[in-house]
Amino acid sequence: MRVLFLGGPGNISESAVTYFVEKKTPVAVLKRSAGGLFGLEGKIRVFYGDRDREEVLTEAMNAFVPDVVVDCTCFTIAQAETVIRALRKSPCRRFVFVSTADVYGYPLRRLPMGESDPRNLPNGDYAAQKKEIEKRYGQAFARGEPSLTIIRPGYSLGKTFALSSFGRDRGAYLVTRIRQGRPVYSPGDGTTLIDAGAAYNTGRMLARICEEDSTAGEAYNCANDRAVTYDEYLQAFGEALGKPVHIVHIPTDFLFSLGRKEVEESLLPDLAQYHLYFSVEKFRKKFPDFQWTYSLADAVRDFVAYQESCGGLEGTEEPVFEDRVIGLWTKAMEELRQTVREKLAQTDRQEGREPDGKL
């Protein structure tokens, strides 16, 4: 088997590529620019060029002659159409599209959410585009030429990405905030479920699906095998960093009522306020021997080490909107608490109660 990745090695595909290297499976990537190979230089074949240009795709496929093409970086219908035309000129046996579990729409209709469960409309343009691309690839390859497999990754924490409910900074400010002992925000009351897992595991799931021809015509959730609460997710950062995590809960409805673009443009409206919990039973039944070997704390350590190596944490020391909101909320809540105490004590005196409220 010969495998060509369109894009990468990336947050998820890195461990998939590494898996094939370990198994001595010929593997190649098509990427726009040099660098970012995560130590895979000399171990894989690399084609440089814009995947949005049909001639670039065709040239790479003709040169490598892959059995399996994995599309990791398709985000628009226009990109999908380019791939479809290229595959008609240079056919392969199987085509694997990396979509997203966000296509199910939030709030999820079922927990954990299975591949065939009823859906809601996608939240946001990213998920809506992925849904349309799934449909378009399904139409184009309906005859099984090539056969199509769809991958829907859940939240996968890797070297290049960590989720933070407020920011779109790929988790950099979250790490610095915990290191400095500053409080961090957890949506709602902190019990929101998130099947946060290591991108390393997700990539290995992808690789196993790629090498198994009987997965053709199917869609698979690729996510962690269990969910944690958002508070537990944040505590995993503390475990990896060796620091206590000071968590503050603020109701999401209150934050939305502020009318601030920092809230509206964060991950809260479309993603972080909801349960993110996806069933992997279909995958587990297909691959009963698979093990989720990387822990969440392992993934955090990988993220921190990589970000430090490339300067990704630089410039994250200054307070941001999250710090301002937490500070104001904490102060206001303490003032409110004191006001309520005084009002209750006043009522107790008027009605002849003891200071603890007893008659």
Side-chain angles (χ1 to χ4, degrees):
M1 184 177 70
R2 300 170 66 80
V3 187
L4 170 65
F5 285 80
L6 306 184
N11 195 56
I12 291 173
S13 62
E14 179 202 354
S15 65
V17 172
T18 302
Y19 174 90
F20 289 123
V21 169
E22 292 169 353
K23 296 198 70 175
K24 302 188 185 307
T25 299
V27 59
V29 298
L30 170 61
K31 64 197 309 290
R32 281 188 171 88
S33 57
L37 290 172
F38 299 107
L40 290 164
E41 295 87 346
K43 300 176 183 179
I44 62 175
R45 189 164 178 182
V46 183
F47 297 94
Y48 292 104
D50 186 351
R51 58 148 293 152
D52 296 337
R53 295 174 57 193
E54 185 179 335
E55 65 272 20
V56 171
L57 280 172
T58 303
E59 182 180 342
M61 286 190 276
N62 287 341
F64 189 67
V65 193
D67 299 293
V68 180
V69 173
V70 185
D71 193 348
C72 301
T73 53
C74 186
F75 306 106
T76 68
I77 289 293
Q79 290 179 309
E81 294 292 354
T82 302
V83 172
I84 291 166
R85 291 193 299 270
L87 284 174
R88 285 173 180 160
K89 293 180 180 179
S90 303
C92 65
R93 187 173 81 243
R94 293 183 56 216
F95 181 72
V96 179
F97 171 51
V98 180
S99 182
T100 173
D102 294 345
V103 298
Y104 295 125
Y106 302 113
L108 297 173
R109 299 281 292 274
R110 191 166 295 170
L111 294 176
M113 184 73 180
E115 291 87 348
S116 300
D117 288 335
R119 305 183 187 185
N120 283 320
L121 293 175
N123 302 57
D125 185 62
Y126 169 76
Q129 287 285 329
K130 287 285 191 178
K131 180 182 177 181
E132 289 304 309
I133 295 166
E134 283 191 17
K135 180 179 178 181
R136 182 66 187 102
Y137 278 146
Q139 294 169 341
F141 307 133
R143 296 180 180 179
E145 301 169 356
S147 61
L148 171 66
T149 304
I150 294 173
I151 307 297
R152 297 183 185 130
Y155 168 42
S156 303
L157 199 167
K159 293 178 179 178
T160 62
F161 175 74
L163 186 147
S164 175
S165 58
F166 253 129
R168 291 183 180 269
D169 53 52
R170 297 181 174 267
Y173 281 94
L174 175 61
V175 170
T176 299
R177 189 174 290 109
I178 292 173
R179 278 180 164 170
Q180 293 181 343
R182 288 145 60 189
V184 296
Y185 167 69
S186 181
D189 62 359
T191 60
T192 301
L193 293 175
I194 176 172
D195 59 352
Y200 175 90
N201 295 332
T202 309
R204 294 274 162 152
M205 296 172 81
L206 168 61
R208 292 293 298 275
I209 290 170
C210 287
E211 65 181 0
E212 179 53 65
D213 282 346
S214 64
T215 61
E218 300 289 343
Y220 291 90
N221 291 339
C222 289
N224 201 34
D225 59 339
R226 68 182 187 89
V228 297
T229 66
Y230 204 93
D231 277 10
E232 290 171 327
Y233 167 68
L234 293 174
Q235 294 294 352
F237 278 81
E239 176 186 343
L241 295 168
K243 296 284 187 179
V245 183
H246 307 289
I247 296 174
V248 174
H249 301 124
I250 305 175
T252 51
D253 287 348
F254 173 81
L255 291 171
F256 295 146
S257 74
L258 299 177
R260 297 284 304 205
K261 70 174 184 178
E262 292 93 340
V263 177
E264 295 168 356
E265 295 176 359
S266 73
L267 292 178
L268 268 176
D270 292 339
L271 192 68
Q273 66 169 314
Y274 301 112
H275 294 300
L276 308 177
Y277 186 16
F278 309 99
S279 173
V280 293
E281 283 309 302
K282 182 176 179 179
F283 176 88
R284 199 196 301 269
K285 288 178 181 178
K286 189 68 179 178
F287 303 97
D289 62 324
F290 186 84
Q291 299 292 319
W292 284 260
T293 56
Y294 254 48
S295 71
L296 186 53
D298 289 334
V300 174
R301 281 186 279 268
D302 269 3
F303 172 77
V304 173
Y306 177 75
Q307 293 299 318
E308 288 180 332
S309 72
C310 65
L313 302 181
E314 294 177 3
T316 59
E317 298 82 8
E318 294 300 317
V320 292
F321 178 75
E322 182 173 343
D323 298 288
R324 293 167 57 196
V325 169
I326 289 175
L328 290 168
W329 172 266
T330 303
K331 180 180 179 182
M333 287 301 293
E334 183 54 42
E335 292 174 350
L336 177 61
R337 187 178 298 109
Q338 184 59 37
T339 298
V340 171
R341 285 173 179 160
E342 293 173 357
K343 293 293 185 182
L344 287 172
Q346 182 181 4
T347 304
D348 287 342
R349 289 192 297 270
Q350 291 173 348
E351 299 180 0
R353 291 186 176 89
E354 296 295 328
D356 61 2
K358 295 180 180 178
L359 290 173

